Amino acid sequence: MKENNRTVQTLNMLVLMYILAVSGGSNGRCSEHEKQALLKFKEGLIDYGNLASWAIEKDCCSSSLLDLSHLDLSRNQYTKIPGFVGSLKELVYLNLSGNSISGIFPYWLGNLSRLLSLDDCEFPVVDPSSLSHINSSKSLAVLQLIDSIVHSSTFPLLLNMSNKLIALHLSKNHLNGTIPISFAHMGSSLGNLCKLRTLLLNGNYINEPLPVILEKPSGCVKDSLQVLDLSVNQIKGSLPEIITRFSSLKELYLDDNKLDGVLPDNVGNLSSLAVLNLSRNKLTGSLPQSIGLMSGPKVLDVSSNSFNGFISEIHFLKLSKLKFLTLSFNSLSLNFSSGWIPPFQLNTINLRCCKLGPSFPVWLQTQRNFSHLDIPNSEISDNIPNWFWRLPSNLLFLNLSFNNLSGKFPDLHLRFNSFPSVSLISNKFHGSIPRFLFDTIVLNLSKNMFSGTLSTLCSLINYNLNHVYLSDNQLSGNLPDCWMNFKQLVVLNLESNSLSGVIPSPFGSLHKLQTLRLSNNSFFQ
């Protein structure tokens, strides 16, 4: 049924195009060339009768069809590129994603002299003898083959199709071995594409050393390339100093590879860089202080490596545009002077497993717009200051777990714009649980010293709260009877407290509850 519906949708679209074609002529007749184009159009379809009237004897006017500049045939059942496409000389954009294209690469695709963007095809092995037929097209500027199957023999053909190839997207394509920047049998190479702006090769199986990869592009590519994504591959080696010669580079993604060694001292020379992602590698050593000279970065992610040493205000000297900072899962110590005022306002602060303590980091008082703050296991042993609880209303995620934080929560009437996740597990917070903490979607306060009753729950309704962990505290009294106010609860853990009384009947209204833990209390029937 799905296949028939999809086919009917395609045919309906084509019938509409045919109507436009018939109504578009000035004299009601069309040339033999136009007639043949419509018939080729029909041949590429599974015909369930809708197009049975299309025949050689009938007249037509297909000028509107031949003038098409955008053609989207995505998510259909094509097994080869439909032949009628070769007649659409005005075509600028072609999308064939979501099909199962196979067979020989059609030589006539190179005759589409205006084609600028080609999205998501699966190009199989290409017969090298067919390359001579497609050199006439030099227009292709955006080639997007994400999650496709691209054979290396296709590259000479694709790279010969343009002297513009501004964006080349080859993500998730099973490419393996050395990077396909240059092949011995190619007439042209990626190194000669002097106007290349975007190169996406993420999600493949490339295992070449990074220094070798970065040596391949010619000087003109180094001056033009703005986005380079080599993430989620198996690239090894260190980050060489040659990277600083990519003078126009704005985004560099090398995360999820096997990089090792230290960062070059002159990495700060990448003055145009807005995104630097080196996460989930095996990089070592200290972070160069020259990073602080990069005025462009909005995103800095070096998490999950083996960096060590100290981070000081010098590392952030000119990073006034920084919004996303992730240093988690390294052996880094943040050592800032008490009066330091950062030049940035961060949206995301991820410093998990970095050393921030023993005092609570005063510089966080200057950050008033963050939506994510993740600083668990950061060796803080301090009273949490009252100013901290003036949390941003756009908060989405807060994690202060596994520290040695203490203090009593102030009675705030704080409301969030959305429902954040909050985790304060394994600290020494005491006093009653404030009402605003239940205005969340996930709340984990286990292994603290919270006391008092849970009666505050009955003062609010939150149909978004789904995970609540309050175990290993000092809560007492009876359970409230307003659980119908939390209908989305999936997990409720209240074990190892001093709760007593009977289990209230409104628990029966929690139809989505999967885990209820009440052990090690004083309940009775």
Side-chain angles (χ1 to χ4, degrees):
M1 180 63 71
K2 278 188 176 180
E3 292 182 357
N4 285 342
N5 288 340
R6 194 173 290 174
T7 303
V8 168
Q9 290 173 359
T10 302
L11 292 176
N12 287 340
M13 179 191 73
L14 299 179
V15 169
L16 176 60
M17 293 168 62
Y18 175 68
I19 293 172
L20 291 173
V22 171
S23 62
S26 58
N27 56 10
R29 302 186 64 82
C30 66
S31 68
E32 184 64 22
H33 173 74
E34 293 170 336
K35 186 184 297 184
Q36 292 300 325
L38 280 177
L39 291 175
K40 288 180 181 179
F41 194 67
K42 174 188 172 185
E43 289 172 3
L45 308 173
I46 300 174
D47 190 355
Y48 288 96
N50 301 57
L51 309 180
S53 62
W54 287 24
I56 193 72
E57 301 87 12
K58 302 290 184 180
D59 194 25
C60 64
C61 181
S62 62
S63 59
S64 295
L65 181 60
L66 293 176
D67 286 343
L68 276 178
S69 60
H70 287 66
L71 179 58
D72 188 344
L73 298 176
S74 60
R75 296 183 295 279
N76 280 287
Q77 300 176 47
Y78 293 111
T79 57
K80 62 180 181 179
I81 300 180
F84 68 84
V85 175
S87 302
L88 306 179
K89 304 296 185 182
E90 303 299 315
L91 203 60
V92 173
Y93 170 82
L94 175 60
N95 189 346
L96 293 166
S97 61
N99 289 286
S100 299
I101 305 294
S102 61
I104 299 298
F105 189 93
Y107 71 89
W108 45 258
L109 194 62
N111 295 328
L112 301 179
S113 59
R114 295 178 181 269
L115 191 63
L116 294 177
S117 181
L118 177 61
D119 283 8
D120 291 355
C121 296
E122 296 187 359
F123 294 133
V125 176
V126 173
D127 181 3
S129 65
S130 67
L131 299 183
S132 61
H133 298 286
I134 53 81
N135 286 338
S136 60
S137 176
K138 298 294 184 182
S139 63
L140 192 64
V142 178
L143 177 61
Q144 181 165 286
L145 302 177
I146 299 174
D147 202 11
S148 301
I149 299 175
V150 180
H151 192 272
S152 60
S153 63
T154 305
F155 283 92
L157 181 150
L158 298 177
L159 297 177
N160 277 342
M161 287 181 67
S162 175
N163 57 14
K164 290 185 177 182
L165 209 44
I166 292 174
L168 181 57
H169 300 194
L170 299 174
S171 307
K172 302 178 184 178
N173 268 297
H174 306 285
L175 295 172
N176 55 62
T178 59
I179 198 168
I181 284 184
S182 180
F183 295 95
H185 61 279
M186 287 175 59
S188 66
S189 72
L190 213 54
N192 294 327
L193 299 177
C194 293
K195 295 185 179 180
L196 187 65
R197 300 288 185 268
T198 299
L199 176 58
L200 307 184
L201 289 166
N202 54 298
N204 287 290
Y205 301 96
I206 300 167
N207 60 11
E208 203 168 11
L210 184 62
V212 176
I213 293 173
L214 296 178
E215 284 285 356
K216 286 183 175 179
S218 66
C220 66
V221 175
K222 291 183 175 71
D223 293 335
S224 66
L225 194 63
Q226 296 180 357
V227 179
L228 177 60
D229 191 345
L230 298 172
S231 62
V232 196
N233 278 285
Q234 299 176 26
I235 298 171
K236 49 198 174 184
S238 59
L239 189 68
E241 291 191 4
I242 191 176
I243 189 62
T244 61
R245 300 180 197 171
F246 289 72
S247 57
S248 297
L249 202 60
K250 294 182 178 179
E251 300 179 23
L252 177 60
Y253 303 90
L254 293 170
D255 45 299
D256 288 284
N257 278 287
K258 297 181 178 180
L259 299 176
D260 54 22
V262 300
L263 297 186
D265 289 335
N266 62 348
V267 69
N269 292 347
L270 290 168
S271 57
S272 299
L273 205 63
V275 177
L276 177 60
N277 192 337
L278 302 174
S279 62
R280 293 176 294 280
N281 280 285
K282 300 177 181 179
L283 296 167
T284 60
S286 303
L287 288 180
Q289 292 185 347
S290 65
I291 286 180
L293 301 178
M294 301 165 64
S295 58
K298 296 180 180 179
V299 175
L300 177 60
D301 188 347
V302 298
S303 60
S304 299
N305 280 282
S306 298
F307 290 116
N308 54 50
F310 291 94
I311 298 294
S312 68
E313 48 260 51
I314 298 177
H315 287 88
F316 301 103
L317 188 62
K318 294 186 177 180
L319 302 188
S320 59
K321 298 178 182 178
L322 194 65
K323 297 296 182 184
F324 184 107
L325 175 63
T326 300
L327 305 178
S328 302
F329 300 111
N330 286 287
S331 298
L332 293 170
S333 297
L334 277 66
N335 186 17
F336 304 131
S337 59
S338 59
W340 180 58
I341 300 177
F344 47 70
Q345 281 290 327
L346 297 174
N347 292 334
T348 298
I349 307 171
N350 292 327
L351 303 174
R352 182 180 296 225
C353 298
C354 293
K355 183 178 180 182
L356 305 182
S359 300
F360 194 84
V362 178
W363 65 272
L364 285 178
Q365 186 174 5
T366 67
Q367 304 302 297
R368 303 313 313 153
N369 297 319
F370 62 84
S371 60
H372 289 70
L373 177 60
D374 188 35
I375 55 172
N377 197 19
S378 53
E379 301 185 28
I380 304 175
S381 299
D382 198 2
N383 247 359
I384 198 162
N386 282 339
W387 57 256
F388 177 78
W389 297 117
R390 295 192 292 270
L391 295 168
S393 58
N394 62 324
L395 185 70
L396 294 175
F397 185 86
L398 174 65
N399 191 348
L400 308 179
S401 302
F402 302 103
N403 283 290
N404 195 20
L405 292 165
S406 57
K408 186 175 181 180
F409 283 67
D411 186 17
L412 300 175
H413 298 285
L414 183 63
R415 294 299 301 269
F416 302 113
N417 294 336
S418 56
F419 298 91
S421 295
V422 174
S423 179
L424 306 176
I425 186 173
S426 292
N427 282 288
K428 294 182 178 178
F429 293 115
H430 63 275
S432 59
I433 300 175
R435 181 183 184 277
F436 77 86
L437 283 182
F438 290 104
D439 194 22
T440 53
I441 189 170
V442 175
L443 178 62
N444 193 339
L445 305 180
S446 295
K447 298 183 178 178
N448 277 280
M449 300 167 62
F450 288 108
S451 59
T453 70
L454 293 175
S455 59
T456 185
L457 281 172
C458 293
S459 65
L460 76 159
I461 297 176
N462 183 355
Y463 292 150
N464 293 281
L465 186 63
N466 56 48
H467 285 68
V468 176
Y469 305 88
L470 302 177
S471 63
D472 295 279
N473 278 284
Q474 300 172 13
L475 300 173
S476 60
N478 297 336
L479 289 179
D481 59 359
C482 53
W483 296 101
M484 72 289 293
N485 295 347
F486 306 93
K487 293 181 179 179
Q488 299 299 317
L489 268 181
V490 175
V491 174
L492 177 60
N493 187 345
L494 300 174
E495 63 186 4
S496 300
N497 279 284
S498 299
L499 297 167
S500 60
V502 299
I503 298 175
S505 58
F507 267 120
S509 65
L510 299 177
H511 300 299
K512 295 189 176 182
L513 193 65
Q514 297 178 9
T515 301
L516 175 61
R517 304 186 69 121
L518 301 175
S519 64
N520 199 21
N521 280 285
S522 300
F523 294 115
F524 60 86
Q525 185 59 43

